[in-house]
């Protein structure tokens, strides 16, 4: 007997229950494993011809009744689609699937079609990733998961932010050198002794839980040592809140949970050293002068820029900005945007963006008036930063910090004072990433956009060897 893929989980389960049999008893009588029966009943695997014959022989199943109609086919297709990790937060019951298939077949077919299109696109992107020399992975990496987590909470964590602000008020941390205050607090509240010594020469911070000693690298910048003391405070003071947030996030792996813990500890540290209301008021008063903000709160430029991107407290929001950290290869290693400009997950940053110029002019803030393909105009700022703990043999990291706002907010930034933000011709065209940028005739384009086909005229050579069609 030739049969196609037959998903009759509901029928098999009903038959088993009619005979008052457990799954183990039913599987044994059919001569199959318990796991196979469980998969059949949950429509995760079709029944084989042998199982079908056994059901007919031992339980009187009428095979003629199994000419599945539209409802059963839709239920099987829906079960397959909703079994994708994409829908892991939704686990419909069989009754729900039946109701959907029977009462909204058009919607069910549309959902199945969308899932099929998603899978095809995923396979195409995976193939493209292979060609680009990257490991193909359909699921997000732990770092991607955590970046998405912070993105979807608007880079603002209410519980930690208010908790850190309250502690800052209690300790009198309102800017300046916080090292003496945090040294006394860690000692008095947690019996942690802070030393600046050689045992941390290969690390910025090293904590010994048994001896309760926090060792800081004496050659690290003062703001780095202060921040690491605040991170240690977060680990000891806010551990229960951090664990609660991680549990609620529901990450797919322990690696992602661990990465998120680091991010949440760093978040608390920033909120402790730069308390929300005080930092927001000072940013407005100083008209978002990043260097003055960093000096006022005793932080680094990157810490100050990052804190500006977290000012999303309901009812007390700061200027909506975008913020990114970019390495020399153009990879975006840290990103958040409260503006319409959203950074691409894959691919390097647009080469026309002023962030790349920051590497050429260290110690300066580079300004740019830019317009994205959707017609939105921005004030873009960029500066170069270098990290290290000092010494000739020390490895140092080099990044560009990029931040900005939509042009309607430019007057709140000191950097826009002498720029003609009303002159449309002053705005340079930029994109997000070549792979998704639709601009034509861009001399800096690295690859064609994914959604456009190309045509080649061997008799004409323009800025690129192809034209977009």
């Amino acid at each position: 007997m030739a049969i196609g893929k037959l998903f009759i989980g509901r029928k098999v389960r009903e038959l088993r229950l009619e005979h008052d049999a457990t799954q183990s008893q039913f599987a044994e009588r059919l001569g199959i494993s318990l796991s196979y029966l469980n998969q059949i009943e949950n429509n995760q695997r079709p029944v084989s011809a042998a199982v079908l014959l056994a059901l007919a022989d031992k339980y009187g199943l009428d095979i003629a009744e199994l000419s599945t109609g539209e409802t059963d086919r839709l239920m099987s297709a829906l079960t397959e689609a909703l079994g994708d990790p994409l829908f892991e937060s939704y686990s419909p019951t069989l009754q729900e699937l039946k109701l959907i298939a029977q009462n909204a077949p058009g919607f069910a077919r549309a959902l199945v079609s969308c899932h099929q299109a998603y899978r095809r696109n995923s396979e195409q992107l995976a193939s493209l990733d292979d060609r680009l020399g990257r490991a193909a992975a359909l699921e997000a990496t732990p770092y991607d998961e955590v970046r998405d987590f912070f993105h979807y909470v608007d880079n603002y964590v209410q519980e930690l932010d208010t908790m850190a602000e309250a502690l800052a008020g209690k300790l009198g941390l309102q800017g300046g050198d916080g090292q003496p205050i945090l040294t006394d607090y860690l000692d008095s509240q947690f019996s942690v002794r802070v030393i600046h010594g050689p045992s941390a020469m290969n690390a910025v911070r090293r904590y010994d839980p048994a001896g309760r000693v926090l060792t800081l690298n004496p050659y690290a910048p003062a703001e780095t040592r202060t921040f690491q003391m605040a991170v240690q405070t977060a680990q000891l003071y806010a551990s229960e809140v951090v664990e609660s947030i991680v549990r609620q996030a529901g990450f797919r792996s322990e690696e992602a949970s661990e990465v998120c813990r680091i991010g949440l500890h760093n978040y608390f540290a920033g909120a402790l050293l730069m308390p929300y209301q005080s930092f927001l008021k000072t940013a407005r008063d100083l008209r978002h002068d990043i260097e003055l903000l960093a000096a006022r709160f005793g932080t680094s430029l990157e810490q100050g820029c990052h804190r500006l991107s977290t000012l999303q407290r309901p009812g007390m929001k700061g200027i909506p900005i975008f913020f990114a950290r970019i390495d020399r290869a153009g990879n975006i290693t840290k990103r958040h945007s409260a503006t319409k400009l959203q950074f691409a997950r894959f691919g390097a940053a647009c080469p026309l963006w002023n962030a790349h110029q920051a590497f050429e002019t260290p110690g300066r803030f580079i300004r740019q008036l830019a317009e994205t393909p959707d017609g939105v105009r921005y004030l873009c700022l960029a500066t170069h930063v270098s990290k290290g703990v000092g010494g000739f043999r020390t490895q140092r990291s080099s990044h560009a910090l990029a931040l900005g706002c939509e042009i309607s907010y430019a007057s709140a930034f000191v950097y826009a004072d002498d720029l003609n933000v009303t002159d449309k011709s002053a705005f340079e065209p930029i994109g997000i990433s070549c792979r998704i940028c639709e601009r034509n005739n861009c001399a800096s384009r690295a690859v064609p956009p994914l959604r456009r086909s190309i045509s080649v005229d061997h008799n004409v050579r323009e800025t690129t060897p192809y034209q977009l069609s």
Side-chain angles (χ1 to χ4, degrees), residues 336-386:
H336 177 69
S337 178
T339 70
K340 292 179 181 179
L341 187 153
Q342 297 296 320
F343 303 105
R345 181 185 293 274
F346 303 111
C350 174
L352 300 178
W353 198 11
N354 69 334
H356 303 285
Q357 299 174 27
F359 292 103
E360 305 168 9
T361 54
R364 291 179 51 196
F365 268 85
I366 308 299
R367 304 176 298 171
Q368 180 185 34
L369 296 177
E371 181 177 326
T372 49
D374 58 3
V376 181
R377 297 194 295 275
Y378 297 90
L379 167 66
C380 300
L381 310 171
T383 191
H384 170 266
V385 294
S386 178

Side-chain angles (χ1 to χ4, degrees), residues 440-446 455 460-468:
N440 292 314
N441 301 320
C442 177
S444 298
R445 178 174 289 284
S455 60
V460 177
R461 179 59 160 91
E462 297 181 351
T463 55
T464 58
Y466 51 81
Q467 291 79 45
L468 300 180

